[in-house]
């Protein structure tokens, strides 16, 4: 969402009032700012209408009032104020404070984009890329992203990089994708930093460079990016691009696991099995494998079957082992069918029927009714 407008309004008296309101805002005297801008807004001053809209939307000195913000943005937008057009379009696109209206949002984004507003070009590009409110058109999306990217908008640079990397609306070009990701990553865009890490690690659009990959993953990980935390953990575990450090790997996996990353949970399970970077603890390993299995990770489901079969970290439970091996098979683990069938051969017909029922129930309940 755009920040407050800082330019003075036309006309000497109105300009003075507008600037007095701005000074009050900067000083934290929000009531005084409103007292200066509200008369100007009633007189049709678009900058005052816009700034009041921002105050209403953000709840600056008042409770948030999205319908009120939309009303003020509309007054300024109808006078051609690009920032107001963008803010109103975002409210309409997201259905915040007023009913969702993608057609009107697209119209307003276009009006602002035609004035060179980079944020509207980016948002309109996203709508064209996803086919929301307009027919899906990757070429149009790329054109809009390019205009915004040339103005330094990190999100547009990132989106354009994705299109180059995947060949959407243009020939696939990893070199240009890397260039775009670098521009966005240099502005602190976490997804761009992560993608640049992936491309550096895999040698896509550049020579493979584990050190650069680790550095980019580190930048994204420090912003809380779970996939970057997971990948950087793998690099510390393997000593690729960074000195091998199992404790640091476990720390990063804990961060990612806390955000629901199944691969990080699985890796923590193995860390506790092997005692690498953490204490060897089979019960704790089983807990992490169970968490990853509950997110649908077939490899963790397979390991959980073995643990239950052998009674490692969990009670010996062949029926539960069969259930997890059956589920892992359903989810594509290639070794699980053999394990499932071996366990089945040891169960009575009644126990096998019950294990199969439990597997169906577990899957139907999205892994919430498996224990």
């Amino acid at each position: 969402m755009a920040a407050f407008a800082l330019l003075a309004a036309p006309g000497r008296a109105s300009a003075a009032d507008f600037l007095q309101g701005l000074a009050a805002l900067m000083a934290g005297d929000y009531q005084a700012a409103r007292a200066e801008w509200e008369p100007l807004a009633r007189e049709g001053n678009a900058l005052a209408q816009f700034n009041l809209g921002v105050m209403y939307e953000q709840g600056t000195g008042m409770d948030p009032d999205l319908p009120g913000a939309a009303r003020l943005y509309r007054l300024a937008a109808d006078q051609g104020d690009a920032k107001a057009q963008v803010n109103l379009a975002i409210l309409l696109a997201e259905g915040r404070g007023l009913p969702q209206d993608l057609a009107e949002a697209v119209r307003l984004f276009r009006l602002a984009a035609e004035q060179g507003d980079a944020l509207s070009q980016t948002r309109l590009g996203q709508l064209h890329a996803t086919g929301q409110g307009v027919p899906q058109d990757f070429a149009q999306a790329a054109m809009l992203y390019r205009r915004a990217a040339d103005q330094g908008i990190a999100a547009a640079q990132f989106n354009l990089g994705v299109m180059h990397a995947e060949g959407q609306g243009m020939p696939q070009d990893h070199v240009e994708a890397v260039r775009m990701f670098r521009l966005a990553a240099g502005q602190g865009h976490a997804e761009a930093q992560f993608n640049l890490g992936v491309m550096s690690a895999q040698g896509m659009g550049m020579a493979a460079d584990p050190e650069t990959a680790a550095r980019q993953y580190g930048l994204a990980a420090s912003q809380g990016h779970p996939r970057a935390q997971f990948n950087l953990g793998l690099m510390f575990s393997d000593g690729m691009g960074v000195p091998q450090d199992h404790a640091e790997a476990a720390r990063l996996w804990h961060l990612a696991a806390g955000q629901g990353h199944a691969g990080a949970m699985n890796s923590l399970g193995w860390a506790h099995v092997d005692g690498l970077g953490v204490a060897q603890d089979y019960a704790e390993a089983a807990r992490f494998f169970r968490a990853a299995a509950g997110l649908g990770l077939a490899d963790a489901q397979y390991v959980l079957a073995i643990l239950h079969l052998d009674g490692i970290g969990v009670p010996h439970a062949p029926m539960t082992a069969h259930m997890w091996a059956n589920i892992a098979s359903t989810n594509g683990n290639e070794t699980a069918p053999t394990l499932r069938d071996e366990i089945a051969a040891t169960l009575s017909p009644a126990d096998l029927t019950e294990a199969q029922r439990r597997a169906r129930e577990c899957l139907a309940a999205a892994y919430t009714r498996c224990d």
Side-chain angles (χ1 to χ4, degrees), residues 10-66:
R12 183 173 299 175
S14 59
D17 293 339
F18 181 85
L19 291 175
Q20 287 176 9
L22 190 60
L25 178 76
M26 296 299 111
D29 189 347
Y30 305 127
Q31 296 305 317
R34 288 179 61 186
E36 294 292 344
W37 286 337
E38 284 174 349
L40 293 175
R42 286 193 294 270
E43 293 170 5
N45 185 287
L47 290 177
Q49 292 164 346
F50 171 77
N51 278 6
L52 284 170
V54 174
M55 293 185 75
Y56 275 56
E57 181 179 0
Q58 297 180 354
T60 306
M62 66 183 82
D63 292 332
D65 180 355
L66 294 179

Side-chain angles (χ1 to χ4, degrees), residues 3 5 14 18 20 39 41 62 64 71 84 120 147 157 191 212 219 225 230-232 245 251 267 306 312 318-319:
S14 59
F18 181 85
Q20 287 176 9
M62 66 183 82
R71 178 181 59 82
S120 66
R147 291 178 180 175
Q157 293 163 344
E191 282 288 343
T212 295
L219 291 171
H225 193 290
F230 172 66
N231 284 10
L232 185 57
D245 187 335
R251 185 187 74 83
S267 292
I306 294 174
I312 300 174
M319 289 171 59

Side-chain angles (χ1 to χ4, degrees), residues 5 42 61 89 104-105 107 124 175 179 204 208 232 240 258 310 337 352:
R42 286 193 294 270
E104 178 63 2
R107 187 186 74 85
L124 189 56
V175 172
R179 188 178 78 85
M204 300 170 65
L232 185 57
M240 291 184 58
D310 295 339
L352 178 58

Side-chain angles (χ1 to χ4, degrees), residues 161-354:
V162 170
M163 296 187 78
H164 278 294
E166 297 181 359
Q168 294 178 332
M170 62 187 72
Q172 190 176 57
D173 186 340
H174 287 149
V175 172
E176 183 63 10
V178 166
R179 188 178 78 85
M180 286 291 115
F181 289 146
R182 279 179 174 151
L183 291 172
Q187 298 189 65
H189 193 288
E191 282 288 343
Q193 292 164 344
F194 172 76
N195 281 11
L196 197 54
V198 171
M199 298 186 83
S200 298
Q202 297 182 3
M204 300 170 65
M206 65 175 80
D209 185 345
E211 289 79 11
T212 295
R215 184 168 61 253
Q216 292 298 328
Y217 285 149
L219 291 171
S222 68
Q223 297 190 63
H225 193 290
R227 288 178 295 160
Q229 292 164 344
F230 172 66
N231 284 10
L232 185 57
L234 292 177
M235 298 190 79
F236 273 107
S237 178
D238 295 338
M240 291 184 58
V242 289
Q244 189 174 55
D245 187 335
H246 293 297
E248 180 63 7
R251 185 187 74 83
L252 288 160
W253 289 334
H254 271 288
L255 292 174
Q259 298 186 68
H261 193 288
M265 296 171 186
N266 192 60
S267 292
L268 281 170
W270 283 114
H272 279 288
V273 167
D274 297 327
L276 293 176
V278 292
Q280 188 176 53
D281 185 334
Y282 294 120
E284 190 68 357
R287 186 177 72 83
F288 279 112
F289 287 131
R290 175 62 181 87
L295 292 173
L297 189 65
D299 289 349
Q301 293 163 348
Y302 173 72
V303 173
L304 203 55
I306 294 174
L307 296 182
H308 278 286
L309 181 62
D310 295 339
I312 300 174
V314 291
H316 172 65
M319 289 171 59
T320 301
H322 185 278
M323 178 194 73
W324 282 117
N326 198 2
I327 291 169
S329 300
T330 300
N331 288 329
N333 183 283
E334 295 181 356
T335 312
T338 300
L339 177 63
R340 178 198 60 200
D341 295 343
E342 290 175 353
I343 298 170
T346 69
L347 298 177
S348 69
D351 285 349
L352 178 58
T353 298
E354 175 61 13

Side-chain angles (χ1 to χ4, degrees), residues 143-165:
M143 180 194 71
L144 288 160
Y145 287 152
R146 173 68 66 186
R147 291 178 180 175
D150 288 346
Q151 296 186 64
I153 301 299
Q157 293 163 344
F158 168 74
N159 289 347
L160 192 57
V162 170
M163 296 187 78
H164 278 294

